[in-house]
Amino acid sequence: NEEVAQAPLFAQLAHQVQDLALNGHVERGEGLVGHDQLRRRAESAGNGALMRIAPLALLHPQGTSAALWLDVALASIVTHRDASSVASCVAFVDLLARLLRLPAPPTSDWIIATFVATARQVCTDQPYRARGGRFTEREGSVPDYLALVLDQAARNDWSTREACAAWSSGAYLLETVPSMLWILARHAHDPEEAIVRAVNDTQDNDTIATLVGAAVGALHGKEALPLTWQHGLLGRTTADDNGRVFRLIEEAVRRDWL
């Protein structure tokens, strides 16, 4: 962990990918990571990697660490080779690892500050521009943008619907991430309401509800969710392996957490 922590994450990321010989397994020989930098274009900053990254929090029972950050970064670039995507994924899984160990819901300020602080450590200074809502004239790094719009939401005491309309809530990371954070800031103490708000108040609601659900699940456990939501879940990984997801989770907990 010390070796990883002593070097910039993106330099370590490129080094690790080469060491693992992942480049040779990519179709037509295209590397996952360039030798000098990740692709850093606002147009590639989609939320697809972020929406699937939560389970990695279970692979490090010791909690957040440099090793966890590197594992998350490596997993994220399999589908989204973008600096803002890597930073968002690392910050989200770091947040989950911390929520799993909290004895009580944190303050709204803590949720936002923790995520943004981690993103600042990981993210490059590449500027991104909002593409929807009322902040389209703003351009800057992802952490700076998050700090700006979330501060505006707090100052104006926006509801989740008002806030998500203000910055838009689509599949672009500059929309998905502030929407997720503001819903958690206002409703993390009430997991049912948090998920309902994610479903009802956002555009890309399947992804944002997935993120919010992972966070409140980490904080409260499944016992805090309505039984009617739990009944009938198939837990498939393929067309005919009902319950496989639940067995994998139980196996991970027995092996690494007990």
Side-chain angles (χ1 to χ4, degrees):
N1 290 359
E2 292 180 0
E3 180 183 349
V4 174
Q6 289 171 358
L9 180 61
F10 288 135
Q12 279 290 315
L13 185 55
H15 176 71
Q16 289 289 328
V17 169
Q18 292 177 39
D19 281 354
L20 292 171
L22 288 176
N23 286 333
H25 295 285
V26 178
E27 186 177 0
R28 294 186 297 277
E30 180 184 352
L32 291 173
V33 179
H35 292 294
D36 53 350
Q37 63 179 0
L38 293 172
R39 179 187 298 123
R40 298 183 299 173
R41 294 186 300 109
E43 291 82 0
S44 66
N47 63 19
L50 181 61
M51 71 181 297
R52 60 172 173 77
I53 208 70
L56 269 72
L58 295 178
L59 300 183
H60 288 259
Q62 75 277 15
T64 188
S65 66
L68 172 62
W69 285 22
L70 185 56
D71 280 350
V72 172
L74 286 167
S76 71
I77 63 171
V78 172
T79 57
H80 288 69
R81 192 178 60 179
D82 177 83
S84 66
S85 176
V86 172
S88 297
C89 288
V90 170
F92 182 58
V93 176
D94 176 89
L95 179 65
L96 293 181
R98 296 175 190 275
L99 292 175
L100 279 165
R101 292 159 179 82
L102 289 181
T107 65
S108 58
D109 290 343
W110 183 91
I111 292 172
I112 293 171
T114 299
F115 187 101
V116 173
T118 302
R120 285 196 189 282
Q121 294 183 63
V122 177
C123 202
T124 68
D125 59 0
Q126 172 73 17
Y128 290 79
R129 182 181 289 274
R131 65 183 188 188
R134 65 178 69 174
F135 297 99
T136 52
E137 299 304 314
R138 298 286 184 172
E139 183 176 278
S141 71
V142 171
D144 285 347
Y145 179 80
L146 292 176
L148 169 72
V149 299
L150 291 166
D151 179 68
Q152 287 290 312
R155 288 176 181 273
N156 291 286
D157 194 28
W158 285 337
S159 68
T160 55
R161 180 164 296 183
E162 289 171 327
C164 293
W167 53 61
S168 198
S169 56
Y172 185 43
L173 285 170
L174 269 65
E175 301 172 11
T176 299
V177 173
S179 298
M180 177 262 297
L181 289 173
W182 190 240
I183 291 168
L184 291 175
R186 291 188 65 98
H187 300 294
H189 63 284
D190 184 343
E192 181 176 355
E193 181 65 13
I195 294 171
V196 168
R197 296 275 60 83
V199 171
N200 289 344
D201 294 348
T202 68
Q203 294 170 307
D204 191 18
N205 57 358
D206 56 341
T207 296
I208 295 172
T210 294
L211 299 172
V212 170
V216 296
L219 182 58
H220 296 279
K222 72 176 183 179
E223 293 78 12
L225 299 176
L227 289 177
T228 53
W229 290 9
Q230 300 180 45
H231 291 161
L233 295 177
L234 298 178
R236 291 177 175 177
T237 63
T238 65
D240 57 359
D241 66 345
N242 287 2
R244 175 64 173 161
V245 168
F246 308 128
R247 292 191 293 273
L248 287 172
I249 293 172
E250 291 170 359
E251 179 183 343
V253 170
R254 283 196 306 270
R255 183 187 64 205
D256 296 328
W257 289 72
L258 299 180

